[in-house]
């Protein structure tokens, strides 16, 4: 899939960072395993623990699940905790009917508090993820500035940094020629035969594309990617101008001999 331009992404405010899929799945797994396991333990201690203790333990599990996997996993844990507490720890046992109105109030309050805490913990986790993303973005832009300022030919360093920052398998600058596509510079592998074969292909102007191979880059990272792309295009332009100037100087030198 090719994306001819990335310039519009520059200046956009990144979206609120979502938790990584691996964390969401871990939180879901923690809820699916933790709820039955906690229920088995509490059932064995049914006659020595009070309902309030049971609800507090389910609430603690919900907080842990939310901290790991976000709001959706926490909501699942809260609903599961409510259902399990009702079925196994309120009389009559093993029925969905609750005889004591005070128990109904306790369970409703439990669900309310569990959902509220899940929301707050989820917001805190997202803000933490936003802060981590901002630090990573600052580091990436610092590497970009270093590559541009400290190298006479920053292209190899820029390609290496693009690949490293985004965890890509390969990054290459490809130019369209009369005979097809030519790889001018690359880092990593495998290198695609043409930009259309890459995960993403971004225009650098002058019939050149930045071909990226690996996991698709999230929209939240578009600003950093756009900054790298802009500097690569500038570095290519400077190299072309330098090569043109060198050829002209050599031509003038031959003409004067």
């Amino acid at each position: 899939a090719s994306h001819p331009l990335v310039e519009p992404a520059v200046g956009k405010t990144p979206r609120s960072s979502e938790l990584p899929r691996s964390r969401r799945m871990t939180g879901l797994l923690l809820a699916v395993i933790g709820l039955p396991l906690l229920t088995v333990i509490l059932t064995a201690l049914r006659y020595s623990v009070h309902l309030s203790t049971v609800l507090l333990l389910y609430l603690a599990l919900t907080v842990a699940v939310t901290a790991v996997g976000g709001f959706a996993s926490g909501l699942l844990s809260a609903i599961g905790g409510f259902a399990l507490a009702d079925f196994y720890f309120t009389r009559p046992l093993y029925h969905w009917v609750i005889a004591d109105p005070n128990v109904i109030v306790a369970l409703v309050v439990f669900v309310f508090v569990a959902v509220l805490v899940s929301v707050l913990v989820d917001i805190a986790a997202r803000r933490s993820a936003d802060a981590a993303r901002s630090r990573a973005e600052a580091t990436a832009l610092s590497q970009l500035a270093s590559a541009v300022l400290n190298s006479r030919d920053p292209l190899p360093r820029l390609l290496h940094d693009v690949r490293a920052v985004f965890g890509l398998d390969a990054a290459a600058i490809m130019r369209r020629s009369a005979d097809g596509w030519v790889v001018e510079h690359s880092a990593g592998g495998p290198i695609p035969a043409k930009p259309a074969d890459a995960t993403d292909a971004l225009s650098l102007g002058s019939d050149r594309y930045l071909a990226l191979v690996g996991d698709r880059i999230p929209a939240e990272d578009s600003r950093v990617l756009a900054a790298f792309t802009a500097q690569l295009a500038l570095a290519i332009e400077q190299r072309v101008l330098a090569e043109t100037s060198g050829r002209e100087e050599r031509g003038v030198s031959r003409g004067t001999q």
Side-chain angles (χ1 to χ4, degrees), residues 188-214:
I191 304 300
K194 54 184 183 296
D197 295 336
T199 306
D200 284 296
L202 306 141
S203 175
L204 298 173
S206 303
D207 286 330
R208 289 178 172 84
Y209 282 80
L210 172 62
L212 305 175
V213 179

Side-chain angles (χ1 to χ4, degrees), residues 51 85-87 89-107:
L51 177 62
D86 178 17
F87 193 76
F89 301 100
T90 64
R91 298 188 182 278
L93 297 176
Y94 313 123
H95 291 81
W96 300 112
V97 178
I98 303 175
D100 189 347
N102 292 320
V103 173
I104 296 177
V105 172
L107 289 174

Side-chain angles (χ1 to χ4, degrees), residues 141-252:
L141 293 175
S142 174
Q143 292 177 351
L144 173 61
S146 175
V148 173
L149 294 175
N150 299 329
S151 176
R152 294 181 60 185
D153 182 13
L155 275 176
R157 170 72 183 277
L158 285 172
L159 275 179
H160 174 273
D161 286 348
V162 165
R163 179 173 173 248
V165 166
F166 298 110
L168 299 169
D169 296 328
I173 296 174
M174 310 186 76
R175 176 175 55 83
R176 191 197 304 272
S177 69
D179 299 324
W181 289 97
V182 177
V183 177
E184 291 189 329
H185 307 280
S186 66
I191 304 300
K194 54 184 183 296
D197 295 336
T199 306
D200 284 296
L202 306 141
S203 175
L204 298 173
S206 303
D207 286 330
R208 289 178 172 84
Y209 282 80
L210 172 62
L212 305 175
V213 179
D215 293 334
R216 190 170 296 278
I217 296 173
E220 292 90 339
D221 293 331
S222 60
R223 290 199 308 177
V224 178
L225 179 59
F228 271 106
T229 304
Q231 289 300 325
L232 282 166
L234 180 60
I236 290 171
E237 182 180 352
Q238 291 175 342
R239 174 179 279 199
V240 170
L241 289 174
E243 291 175 351
T244 302
S245 176
R247 285 195 297 269
E248 291 176 351
E249 290 178 359
R250 288 193 294 271
V252 171

